[in-house]
Amino acid sequence: MWPISLREYASRSRRFLSIWLQIVFIENYNVAAQWYENDANIRRAIDFLNGPEMLAAGHSESLNRLHHELIHKDWFQTLPDFNAYVVRKGQALSDYTCDPMRWRRKCLVNIAKAGLFSSDRTIAEYDHDIWHLGNSSRTHVRLGA
């Protein structure tokens, strides 16, 4: 466990936001098995990965490894969001069924607004907030120099 002083320092400094996020991640790292054990929907979905239907269609070693890692190493915190994802996916399918043209317009708007999540924006923010290299669009790193 990290010392509380480091946690406080990291949470108060934008520069060390990534450290704080790593602390939170490490503290929540081992809860995937609890999600699996306590939620029948999650357990059913994960067990499907190494069930007879999937094993007949897929590579058993890969499916078994995925099954194990979701339960014991949920690096991307998939399980806490699983039920919300199922609900939203159902809503998306319903929206498409009811009004395909409106659904397509929504998709196009989402694509158009995706720039907020682009790597260019992220790198520019890192440059501005952390690295202080100048305008990242004009900054070039020479490899091997």
Side-chain angles (χ1 to χ4, degrees):
M1 189 60 62
W2 291 89
I4 191 69
S5 60
L6 177 59
R7 177 197 312 255
E8 287 175 7
Y9 180 70
S11 67
R12 290 183 182 146
S13 171
R14 252 181 91 86
R15 185 172 216 163
F16 293 96
L17 179 60
S18 65
I19 294 172
W20 183 79
L21 291 172
Q22 289 173 19
I23 292 168
V24 170
F25 178 78
I26 289 168
E27 289 175 350
N28 293 307
Y29 173 69
N30 292 322
V31 299
Q34 293 172 6
W35 282 94
Y36 174 79
E37 292 167 9
N38 296 326
D39 190 309
N41 290 330
I42 290 173
R43 191 169 44 256
R44 188 172 37 255
I46 291 177
D47 288 347
F48 179 77
L49 291 171
N50 65 356
E53 300 93 349
M54 287 295 289
L55 290 174
H59 186 257
S60 63
E61 182 182 340
S62 297
L63 291 167
N64 287 326
R65 184 175 41 224
L66 178 59
H67 180 273
H68 180 268
E69 289 192 5
L70 281 170
I71 297 171
H72 301 287
K73 296 183 193 177
D74 188 12
W75 293 106
F76 300 105
Q77 298 291 295
T78 306
L79 302 186
D81 293 331
F82 179 79
N83 289 316
Y85 168 78
V86 170
V87 169
R88 295 308 291 164
K89 180 181 177 186
Q91 183 63 52
L93 293 172
S94 175
D95 289 351
Y96 178 77
T97 302
C98 293
D99 189 348
M101 286 306 292
R102 184 167 183 244
W103 186 84
R104 290 178 182 132
R105 281 193 296 274
K106 284 181 180 180
C107 288
L108 187 58
V109 168
N110 282 336
I111 291 167
K113 291 182 177 181
L116 174 65
F117 302 103
S118 78
S119 59
D120 290 344
R121 181 204 46 85
T122 302
I123 291 169
E125 284 184 9
Y126 275 35
D127 179 26
H128 181 266
D129 297 341
I130 299 169
W131 302 329
H132 308 293
L133 297 172
N135 185 343
S136 62
S137 65
R138 288 184 276 162
T139 302
H140 301 284
V141 176
R142 293 180 57 194
L143 300 175

